[in-house]
Amino acid sequence: MSLKESELNVDPPCSPTSKSNYLWNDAPDENKWADCVHCGMCLESCPTYEITGQEQHSPRGRVHLIKSVAEGKLEVNEPFIDPVYQCLDCRACTTACPADVDVGGLIEEARGQIRQAMPLTGIKGLVSKFFLEGLFPHPKRMQSLGGLLKIYQKSGVQKLVRTTRLIRIMPKHLVELEAIMPGMGVPVRKKYKNENIILAKGEETHTVAFLTGCIMDVMFSDINESTIQVLTRNGNNVTIPKQQTCCGALHVHAGDRETGRRLAKQNIEAFENAQTVIVNAAGCGCMLKDYPELFRDDPEWHEKAKAFSAKVQDITKYLYDTGYEKPKSEMKIRLTYHDACHLAHGQGIRQEPRELLHAIPGVEIVHMPNADRCCGSAGIYNITNPEMAGAVLESKMENVPEDVEMISMGNPGCMLQMAVGIQKYGRRQKIVHTVQLLDWAYKRDDEQLNE
């Protein structure tokens, strides 16, 4: 089925011309859309198309728009910008596409052009600059933020805010996020700052480097600690390179590809001597593996990025591939598993996390229909596009089995978003990271051994 401009609710195309309306370098790669024949196999996989039913909010519709701007038929204007930024970049369409069209890559490249053509201004510009440039790339500032949040939680201020009407001044979606904010712990980069290497327990088999993440190490330091404990338990020496920084995923998703490249260079250099780079956040891992795309026009850094991305391993796949100690003690838990988009669709990792869970005695995994359907987090999409994110979350929660105690997953954004869903829809399940369950099982083994 061909796609007509009238179906897309866009302005009539201008006179045909060979001049592209992408005016900057690093424009969307025509090789990525060349194999799209608008067959429609992607439609059922797309959360935004499922909700809106509109072609411009489908993968093939977005590909058509991006191509049309390149052909000079459309301008970089609001009818183009809205569908591009409404995309969750969940990559489900690429999984569904018979030709493996990289829609996510096209979306990110198109956003890069949009942000150069129409930089954010006013309050949106200030907020974006504060978080993306002034906070996330700076570990010490992130640790300071974590310290402030800890004071907020422990001092009684949080209780006061929640029990008075002060909370009502915040937008509804931010109120929902504040309500499920995890307790702040000690970032592992701070805890192990004086240790060049965290030694394996027992026989040493490998030495790995650990990407702690920015948000991950502040809001989910307990998961980072579990990751280190599981790695050392399985014979791995662990290093935490001090020069590492934010992976750049949020920047690239927002269209700031230049900052993304700067952060990528810093990480590539920070992990230059590592043989294996372990990641426990799906979004970070996917971004690290996408670094070569950021440098496609820079031969020197493209080769460096390829060498780096080949080292990157999600914690669950690494353990599965290298062999790991199977827990012995029984943990009677009935749980279900959510496939984070950037783990399942972005990295093709589906079975390995489930195998780790199956290996824990007593764990019963209940199938979740459409387990690889997006939850609506998508980086900070749930903040920038709260209405669509809420609709996607509602659809996701309808598929979560009610008779389970826990929902396991491998991405911090998903954990926060699914926790919002648990609270919003009156559920009782606990949200956990897959590596946490393995760590808990090992601790139970140790407790029983010492009894």
Side-chain angles (χ1 to χ4, degrees), residues 216-357:
M216 196 74 184
D217 207 31
V218 171
M219 301 192 74
F220 296 99
S221 58
D222 56 334
I223 298 174
N224 275 357
E225 180 64 31
S226 286
T227 302
I228 292 171
Q229 294 304 316
V230 168
L231 285 168
T232 54
R233 174 87 176 215
N234 284 282
N236 296 279
N237 295 326
V238 179
T239 65
I240 303 176
K242 292 180 173 57
Q243 298 306 313
Q244 65 175 290
T245 186
C246 173
C247 69
L250 297 180
H251 305 78
V252 174
H253 295 335
D256 186 359
R257 295 174 68 81
E258 193 55 43
T259 300
R261 276 187 282 270
R262 176 171 58 80
L263 298 175
K265 287 180 179 180
Q266 186 172 334
N267 280 325
I268 290 169
E269 291 178 338
F271 289 92
E272 185 177 9
N273 296 323
Q275 292 183 325
T276 305
V277 179
I278 299 297
V279 188
N280 60 11
C284 296
C286 191
M287 184 69 253
L288 298 182
K289 291 181 179 181
D290 280 348
Y291 275 0
E293 279 294 302
L294 284 176
F295 298 104
R296 60 182 178 171
D297 297 324
D298 185 334
E300 179 187 355
W301 278 99
H302 181 73
E303 289 303 312
K304 290 181 179 181
K306 281 175 63 178
F308 170 79
S309 65
K311 305 175 185 179
V312 177
Q313 290 264 25
D314 181 77
I315 177 65
T316 58
K317 181 169 176 55
Y318 175 77
L319 291 170
Y320 181 80
D321 288 348
T322 58
Y324 64 100
E325 178 186 339
K326 305 293 193 299
K328 302 176 182 63
S329 303
E330 187 175 57
M331 294 180 65
K332 290 186 177 181
I333 300 173
R334 186 176 170 87
L335 59 79
T336 191
Y337 180 77
H338 159 68
D339 286 285
C341 295
H342 286 90
L343 199 58
H345 301 301
Q347 302 180 63
I349 298 173
R350 298 170 179 269
Q351 196 57 34
E352 293 87 349
R354 291 176 169 85
E355 291 294 337
L356 264 62
L357 295 172

Side-chain angles (χ1 to χ4, degrees), residues 216 220 223 280-282 314-316 335-341 343 353-354 357 368 371 375 377 396-397 400 406-419 422 429-437:
M216 196 74 184
F220 296 99
I223 298 174
N280 60 11
D314 181 77
I315 177 65
T316 58
L335 59 79
T336 191
Y337 180 77
H338 159 68
D339 286 285
C341 295
L343 199 58
R354 291 176 169 85
L357 295 172
M368 180 193 299
C375 65
S377 171
K396 182 71 183 184
M397 293 305 299
V400 174
M406 296 182 182
I407 310 173
S408 177
M409 60 201 70
N411 191 58
C414 297
M415 295 182 74
L416 291 172
Q417 180 76 341
M418 295 290 279
I422 292 298
Q429 290 89 359
K430 183 175 182 178
I431 305 296
V432 295
H433 192 288
T434 305
V435 78
Q436 280 182 301
L437 286 162

Side-chain angles (χ1 to χ4, degrees), residues 22-37:
Y22 296 122
L23 304 179
W24 288 269
N25 293 330
D26 199 17
D29 182 1
E30 63 179 295
N31 292 317
K32 289 187 173 74
W33 71 63
D35 292 329
C36 179
V37 295

Side-chain angles (χ1 to χ4, degrees), residues 47-60:
T48 55
Y49 179 75
E50 177 188 44
I51 291 167
T52 67
Q54 297 175 349
E55 281 285 349
Q56 70 266 35
H57 292 299
S58 74
R60 71 176 182 183

Side-chain angles (χ1 to χ4, degrees), residues 114-158:
I114 290 168
R115 278 295 157 254
Q116 291 178 88
M118 304 174 67
L120 288 175
T121 58
I123 187 65
K124 287 186 177 181
L126 290 173
V127 171
S128 176
K129 191 175 183 66
F130 172 77
F131 283 101
L132 295 184
E133 296 181 33
L135 189 59
F136 293 148
H138 305 282
K140 289 185 178 180
R141 296 178 190 177
M142 288 295 295
Q143 289 178 15
S144 297
L145 174 63
L148 291 174
L149 289 173
K150 192 171 185 178
I151 293 172
Y152 169 74
Q153 292 175 330
K154 300 291 186 181
S155 66
V157 174
Q158 183 181 56

